[in-house]
Amino acid sequence: MQGKHLLRGLVSTTLAVGMTSGALAAPTTATPASAATASAYNQPPKEILDVMRAPPPPVPSLSPTRDKLMLVTMQDFPSIAKVATPFLRLAGVRIEPGNHSQHDTPGGYGIPPCVSAIDLVQVTDGKQTAVKLPADACPRRPVWSADGQRFAFENITTAAVELWVGDAKTGAVRRLPGVRLNQMFGDQVQWMPDQKTLLVKLVTGNKAPPVEAPGSAGPGIQESIGGTGQSSTYENRDTLRNRYDESLFNYYGTSQLALVDAATGKITNVGKPGLYEELSVAPDSRHVVVTEIRPPYSYVTTFDRFPKQIDLWDLRSVKPGANPVVREIAALPLADRVPNRGVPTGPRNFTWRPTDAATLVWAEALDGGDPKVKAAERDKLVILKAPFTGAPVEITRTEQRYAGLSWSENAGTALLSDYDVNRKWRRTWQLNVDDAKNSRRLVWDMSADEKYANPGNPVRRQLANGSWVIRQDGDTIYLSGMGSSPDGDRPFLDKFSLGTQQSERLFRSGKTSYEQFIGFAGNDTRRLLTWYQSTTDTPNALLRTVGAPAAGAAKGEAAFDSSSAPLTHLKDTAPQVREIQKRLVKYKRADGVDLSFTLYTPPGYKEGTRLPTILNAYPLDYADASQAGQTTGSQATFTRLRQYRLLLLSGYAIIDSAAFPIVGDPRKAYDTYTEQLVANAKAAVDEAVRLGVTDPARVGVTGHSHGALMTANLLAHSDLFRAGAATSGSYNKSLTPFGFQNERRSVWEAPDVYTKVSTFFYADKLKTPLLIVHGGDDANPGTTPLQSTKLYEAIRGNGGVTRLVMLPHEPHWYAARESNEQLVYEMLRWFDKYVKNAPAAAPASAAAN
């Protein structure tokens, strides 16, 4: 029959050749709850809605003085009305003109959630105080002052981004009047080192925004005069297009720097208004590195590559109408030709030495910023001390790309890291900055993909001046990590001697629970605050006391005071989910690579019953098969259901977070991408079938972003699955011609690879039903909504079975409650029709193409 269009609310569905006429059957489990509503959106059954709308557990935030624990509960889903608020697309920033707030997170991945509740807990006795938030508020996550006396947060209203301050003792909060923050480039609020003042970016004046007269914008002109240049693939709607866009960028990006007294609310302007991006304050509270965006702008890339003026300011030399510039650090040109996986030339990665009043350190590339260039040394670090009159002094060089400098609280000691992008290899040294020879000693040297032997991250503390440093007692530092092991993740805390480079385990999570180190309680390193949870226990804070290692304890284990008690007593908001069972499953790929997944079974499951099953995965790149096979994740975490996992409540089993490694030389791993995808999928499905849980004739697959490309390719290149659901994917890699994921060759260097990876070019072979979902305002480089539209058209034109759902106003990750409910509704009805209730079919086999 001919294609027939069916309009259902905001979702447009085209019934392609070969499909049954009419709408898809509703899920057999229940009638959608939306039947009696006037909403244009659909909803899944009530039992799923109840779980989706249950409040999430809070996130703990320990005060810098370690005597108070803040519990921050985030709103799961804003309304579609909030997500649909009009915004401007200005060089990679989406700004709401009504209040100067960023409409989504950097990169366009999702709308920042509001805080719905804040509670303060005394570490000494567990006394809890609820913070009374303003009515109809949309606070952002609070930021502690270093003295632990106050916290500050931004509150988003329709007219402004307000600044509020809270008292940590009483929980009382108040708005600082007259403060209208400009969120355009971030860094809009930070505590000054005195912890009494906040450095902010303010919206400037009451001048009206530019108005575009019809036809006055003029042509959008770009020109290239030779030289190679690579850039990410952005939606052209998010880069600047013409002079009018430039005027809007200038208007909304311009801010006034100011100091605000947290007690009195007094506002003191600093310097002239400008397009200020990054602000970095020295411990002396006087000097600030200020990065200002300057023209000429680019219509190809986003603001982070625009020309920059980097100056050093002295806040004690402020004069009306002038910027208090002490010294120019750099005038950086437009960086629109930065090599793939490279860095811009010139000064970058500024950091102040935390134990000095004003000593500035930064990195500069020695290889032109290009990882393809052969070079004995790639970066140098230089240091510039107050009064900043001399030349910067080089302190060290790195053989590979500089990856960070973590200062210790002990003067002169720092941990220096570099990273080899071609090997995915990371090294860390102990560096003595005060030594005349800047001597350094290698501490860690391993693959960036190494999980089992990963030493963890240094535990840090905040100094009185607000600077963060590695906590150090003598030559001992503390390391906290995920603790990946063949049994899954078991977080740990270690003591580590910089002298002997030997570690001693203080704490490790048990095998039947998941317990993470939050911080020390006060200054006593024997008393730990942890965040404890299990499959049935709601996350709560515990107060632990480190005991002596138990007699006969296995290596890497530790004993604890058995009298330890919960500090908080949070309740389960979705108890019906506790009936779901999950387990870590380990198995091998046909070529011997170790793999794993978490297997979920629905409430009331009886062992040996074969169920319709959905596989979810996200492919990751590895240079070495030994790291690819290392197990991550935990079956002991508190179970929460989101998106595809909610199908557990409708009788599906879920193969979740299945390991999908793409193994090989990072410079050409994608030569065997599709073969490895199919091998990963076959191994996972075969193992779930062997366990007696999965019905091999009723298996579906789903994935998001790069996982969506995986989903489409598995349907095109294997017959393992009856249907798939791909969300926010990229299916034609020739539209991202200068690389994708870890593929750094261009389409002109590896045309066969780009074609083979792109499902679009195999649409004529894709006969398995595919649900395609995409956010209508996705700004993630590479996953423009056009990718889904064109794949849908290609499948439809070749007689395939497909459905395209464009979620209005949504970025890369779907934010609105209505959109997420629609997504689950779509997945449930799709998999019910084509997987759970599909007609009998022969068991799946290996790759078909």
Side-chain angles (χ1 to χ4, degrees):
M1 70 174 191
Q2 296 295 318
K4 176 182 178 182
H5 294 279
L6 172 68
L7 184 64
R8 181 182 293 273
L10 296 180
V11 182
S12 177
T13 304
T14 301
L15 302 181
V17 176
M19 287 184 69
T20 303
S21 177
L24 287 172
T28 57
T29 52
T31 301
S34 61
T37 72
S39 172
Y41 287 84
N42 299 109
Q43 295 174 338
K46 183 179 183 301
E47 61 267 24
I48 291 179
L49 275 181
D50 289 344
V51 172
M52 290 186 73
R53 295 182 176 181
V59 177
S61 173
L62 185 62
S63 68
T65 47
R66 299 173 297 282
D67 58 344
K68 298 179 186 68
L69 188 67
M70 181 185 291
L71 301 179
V72 181
T73 304
M74 309 300 295
Q75 179 190 67
D76 258 352
F77 307 117
S79 69
I80 190 62
K82 168 59 180 171
V83 176
T85 302
F87 62 88
L88 300 171
R89 310 164 192 267
L90 300 174
V93 182
R94 294 182 169 189
I95 199 81
E96 295 182 10
N99 59 12
H100 282 72
S101 71
Q102 280 199 9
H103 185 72
D104 55 14
T105 56
Y109 292 100
I111 308 298
C114 302
V115 170
S116 59
I118 301 173
D119 293 280
L120 298 170
V121 182
Q122 293 285 349
V123 171
T124 53
D125 57 12
K127 180 182 177 182
Q128 189 163 321
T129 302
V131 174
K132 188 176 181 180
L133 297 172
D136 300 321
C138 180
R140 293 292 185 251
R141 187 170 294 181
V143 179
W144 283 105
S145 62
D147 59 12
Q149 299 300 308
R150 299 183 179 97
F151 55 91
F153 62 88
E154 299 164 49
N155 182 45
I156 314 297
T157 73
T158 56
V161 180
E162 303 170 342
L163 178 59
W164 287 65
V165 174
D167 186 307
K169 289 183 179 179
T170 65
V173 296
R174 59 189 176 84
R175 181 175 66 87
L176 297 182
V179 178
R180 296 181 65 233
L181 299 171
N182 189 342
Q183 290 188 330
M184 181 82 165
F185 303 121
D187 257 8
Q188 61 270 6
V189 176
Q190 53 186 289
W191 287 99
M192 291 291 288
D194 65 5
Q195 306 307 312
K196 300 176 181 178
T197 313
L198 293 139
L199 177 62
V200 302
K201 295 179 183 177
L202 300 178
V203 172
T204 57
N206 298 313
K207 186 179 179 181
V211 177
E212 181 182 23
S216 65
I221 299 173
Q222 303 181 52
E223 181 178 6
S224 179
I225 55 174
T228 58
Q230 302 174 353
S231 63
S232 297
T233 304
Y234 300 97
E235 275 196 89
N236 58 13
R237 294 181 298 168
D238 280 298
T239 54
L240 300 180
R241 299 166 299 172
N242 51 43
R243 294 289 181 87
Y244 177 63
D245 277 359
E246 290 191 39
S247 67
L248 290 173
F249 180 80
N250 288 332
Y251 176 83
Y252 287 101
T254 299
S255 60
Q256 172 66 59
L257 301 187
L259 296 170
V260 181
D261 188 301
T264 67
K266 181 183 177 182
I267 301 172
T268 304
N269 289 344
V270 179
K272 300 184 298 183
L275 276 74
Y276 301 116
E277 186 186 4
E278 297 178 1
L279 307 173
S280 179
V281 184
D284 66 359
S285 229
R286 174 178 177 178
H287 294 94
V288 184
V289 175
V290 178
T291 300
E292 185 178 1
I293 298 171
R294 298 281 180 88
Y297 306 141
S298 169
Y299 293 1
V300 173
T301 187
T302 52
F303 77 88
D304 54 312
R305 297 293 179 89
F306 286 2
K308 308 287 175 65
Q309 179 67 33
I310 304 174
D311 290 327
L312 184 62
W313 287 17
D314 184 346
L315 298 182
R316 295 185 187 176
S317 302
V318 175
K319 296 179 180 179
N323 289 345
V325 177
V326 174
R327 176 170 179 157
E328 177 187 282
I329 302 297
L332 303 179
L334 179 67
D336 62 346
R337 295 180 182 273
V338 176
N340 200 343
R341 302 296 195 286
V343 297
T345 56
R348 71 179 201 278
N349 297 102
F350 295 93
T351 177
W352 291 99
R353 180 168 171 173
T355 53
D356 282 1
T359 298
L360 186 63
V361 179
W362 69 82
E364 294 186 31
L366 298 170
D367 60 354
D370 190 347
K372 293 183 179 180
V373 171
K374 291 185 178 181
E377 296 167 322
R378 296 202 176 275
D379 278 326
K380 67 177 181 179
L381 257 64
V382 300
I383 193 166
L384 182 64
K385 298 184 177 183
F388 311 109
T389 54
V393 177
E394 182 178 319
I395 56 174
T396 193
R397 295 190 173 198
T398 59
E399 291 79 6
Q400 299 301 329
R401 187 68 64 215
Y402 169 68
L405 190 68
S406 297
W407 296 94
S408 166
E409 61 183 314
N410 284 17
T413 302
L415 294 181
L416 169 71
S417 296
D418 73 358
Y419 178 69
D420 184 349
V421 68
N422 292 317
R423 294 176 60 215
K424 299 187 73 175
W425 201 267
R426 188 181 182 98
R427 297 178 298 178
T428 300
W429 290 267
Q430 180 183 350
L431 175 69
N432 188 337
V433 179
D434 290 333
D435 178 45
K437 298 180 181 179
N438 299 127
S439 60
R440 64 187 190 186
R441 179 187 183 193
L442 188 64
V443 181
W444 297 298
D445 183 10
M446 65 184 64
S447 167
D449 294 324
E450 174 60 48
K451 303 178 187 71
Y452 292 173
N454 191 310
N457 296 313
V459 174
R460 301 192 302 164
R461 75 178 186 93
Q462 199 170 12
L463 299 179
N465 62 27
S467 301
W468 285 94
V469 294
I470 298 172
R471 177 162 188 156
Q472 186 170 345
D473 299 328
D475 79 338
T476 297
I477 64 174
Y478 300 87
L479 301 173
S480 176
M482 297 304 295
S484 296
S485 73
D487 296 322
D489 291 346
R490 295 177 60 197
F492 66 87
L493 176 70
D494 284 353
K495 288 175 63 175
F496 181 81
S497 169
L498 292 172
T500 65
Q501 296 194 0
Q502 297 297 309
S503 61
E504 176 189 344
R505 183 130 297 171
L506 299 178
F507 157 77
R508 190 180 189 189
S509 177
K511 294 182 179 180
T512 59
S513 61
Y514 187 81
E515 191 172 356
Q516 294 172 282
F517 172 73
I518 298 175
F520 295 113
N523 291 319
D524 189 349
T525 57
R526 296 172 301 172
R527 299 176 70 236
L528 317 179
L529 279 171
T530 64
W531 194 242
Y532 173 91
Q533 59 187 293
S534 72
T535 54
T536 56
D537 294 318
T538 306
N540 269 290
L542 298 184
L543 189 58
R544 291 280 191 186
T545 302
V546 175
K555 183 179 180 181
E557 303 296 335
F560 300 95
D561 187 335
S562 60
S563 63
S564 298
L567 183 67
T568 61
H569 304 274
L570 304 172
K571 304 300 182 182
D572 188 353
T573 60
Q576 61 271 48
V577 175
R578 291 329 118 217
E579 296 182 45
I580 290 170
Q581 301 296 314
K582 60 182 175 181
R583 51 181 148 161
L584 179 67
V585 178
K586 294 183 286 185
Y587 54 102
K588 289 183 181 290
R589 202 164 74 175
D591 59 0
V593 174
D594 290 319
L595 303 175
S596 65
F597 59 69
T598 298
L599 181 64
Y600 289 81
T601 50
Y605 175 70
K606 294 182 178 180
E607 202 67 36
T609 305
R610 294 199 179 273
L611 300 174
T613 302
I614 307 300
L615 180 148
N616 174 268
Y618 188 95
L620 295 173
D621 309 318
Y622 294 89
D624 190 302
S626 63
Q627 277 86 44
Q630 292 182 343
T631 302
T632 59
S634 171
Q635 74 274 24
T637 55
F638 186 67
T639 302
R640 293 193 70 218
L641 303 184
R642 288 294 179 267
Q643 297 183 335
Y644 61 90
R645 289 180 187 165
L646 287 156
L647 272 62
L648 283 157
L649 300 175
S650 289
Y652 288 85
I654 302 291
I655 299 172
D656 199 27
S657 301
F660 261 60
I662 306 300
V663 184
D665 185 332
R667 289 164 289 194
K668 54 183 180 180
Y670 279 81
D671 289 359
T672 58
Y673 167 75
T674 52
E675 292 88 347
Q676 293 195 62
L677 281 187
V678 174
N680 291 328
K682 186 176 188 307
V685 172
D686 285 352
E687 181 63 16
V689 171
R690 188 191 69 80
L691 292 172
V693 173
T694 292
D695 179 348
R698 295 188 295 163
V699 185
V701 60
T702 186
H704 184 80
S705 195
H706 195 46
L709 174 64
M710 170 207 74
T711 297
N713 271 327
L714 286 173
L715 299 191
H717 297 285
S718 80
D719 60 3
L720 291 162
F721 304 99
R722 301 301 300 273
T727 59
S728 296
S730 174
Y731 311 103
N732 182 349
K733 290 304 181 183
S734 69
L735 299 179
T736 56
F738 292 109
F740 57 90
Q741 293 302 108
N742 205 43
E743 176 56 65
R744 69 275 312 266
R745 294 170 293 185
S746 74
V747 67
W748 299 278
E749 295 172 297
D752 292 343
V753 171
Y754 277 72
T755 300
K756 187 177 179 181
V757 166
S758 301
T759 318
F760 178 84
F761 297 111
Y762 295 88
D764 59 328
K765 295 180 172 60
L766 211 166
K767 303 303 180 184
T768 306
L770 177 63
L771 170 66
I772 305 170
V773 183
H774 214 116
D777 280 323
D778 189 351
N780 181 49
T783 58
T784 167
L786 180 68
Q787 291 272 2
S788 286
T789 301
K790 290 303 178 183
L791 179 63
Y792 168 77
E793 292 173 355
I795 297 172
R796 176 182 180 274
N798 281 286
V801 179
T802 185
R803 177 179 174 90
L804 174 65
V805 179
M806 300 299 294
L807 298 172
H809 312 295
E810 290 293 351
H812 190 60
W813 288 100
Y814 315 140
R817 184 193 71 239
E818 293 87 345
S819 299
N820 281 278
E821 291 171 359
Q822 183 78 42
L823 173 65
V824 176
Y825 166 84
E826 295 288 346
M827 283 189 168
L828 182 58
R829 69 199 298 266
W830 191 259
F831 286 128
D832 272 4
K833 181 174 179 66
Y834 293 113
V835 175
K836 179 186 284 188
N837 302 316
S845 63
N849 299 305

